[in-house]
């Protein structure tokens, strides 16, 4: 392990994932991170990408989960049963500066 921390059993691991990746005291250059179901949230997916990490959570009951994609894409037709809709990219664009400020703030 490169980082460990005791957490309350009621907390989701996802709230602590970035702490371990950004503030570990090892010489490791971590590029990819795996978690179990409790170790991911939609927000963490976005932040991991913005901070330069490949994120690969193991999501239990993924068949009951709905994925959201940037736009309708015929290439994703095999995922149709899992797609719940499209992402509102206008909201992201409108708040992009604040999103980058948040990611930079977390990283520093």
């Amino acid at each position: 392990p490169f980082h460990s921390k005791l957490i309350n059993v009621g907390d989701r691991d996802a709230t602590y994932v970035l702490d371990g990746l950004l503030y570990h005291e090892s010489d490791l250059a971590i590029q990819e991170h795996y978690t179990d179901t409790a170790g991911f949230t939609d927000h963490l997916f976005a932040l991991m990408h913005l901070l330069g990490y490949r994120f690969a959570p193991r999501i239990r009951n993924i068949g009951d989960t709905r994925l959201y994609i940037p736009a309708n894409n015929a290439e994703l037709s095999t995922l149709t049963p899992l797609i719940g809709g499209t992402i509102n990219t206008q909201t992201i664009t409108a708040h992009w500066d604040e999103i980058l400020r948040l990611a930079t703030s977390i990283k520093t």
Side-chain angles (χ1 to χ4, degrees):
F2 58 88
H3 182 80
S4 65
K5 180 176 186 168
L6 291 175
I7 61 171
N8 185 328
V9 295
D11 290 347
R12 285 186 62 93
D13 300 354
T15 55
Y16 300 96
V17 168
L18 285 176
D19 286 348
L21 291 170
L22 294 171
Y23 308 122
H24 63 86
E25 296 180 1
S26 75
D27 292 332
L28 297 172
I30 300 165
Q31 297 176 352
E32 185 171 76
H33 186 70
Y34 297 82
T35 66
D36 63 10
T37 297
F40 85 95
T41 63
D42 295 341
H43 301 93
L44 188 58
F45 265 109
L47 283 168
M48 290 288 241
H49 179 73
L50 288 172
L51 295 171
Y53 296 105
R54 285 185 304 248
F55 188 43
R58 295 176 183 98
I59 303 171
R60 178 181 15 152
N61 300 327
I62 194 164
D64 298 333
T65 300
R66 295 293 158 247
L67 304 174
Y68 290 82
I69 59 175
N72 288 328
N73 186 336
E75 293 179 17
L76 299 176
S77 62
T78 57
L79 295 178
T80 298
L82 297 176
I83 296 174
T86 58
I87 296 170
N88 183 346
T89 55
Q90 292 175 342
T91 300
I92 295 170
T93 301
H95 299 283
W96 187 245
D97 289 343
E98 290 83 9
I99 293 168
L100 291 179
R101 188 175 303 119
L102 171 66
T104 302
S105 200
I106 290 170
K107 190 167 188 168
T108 58

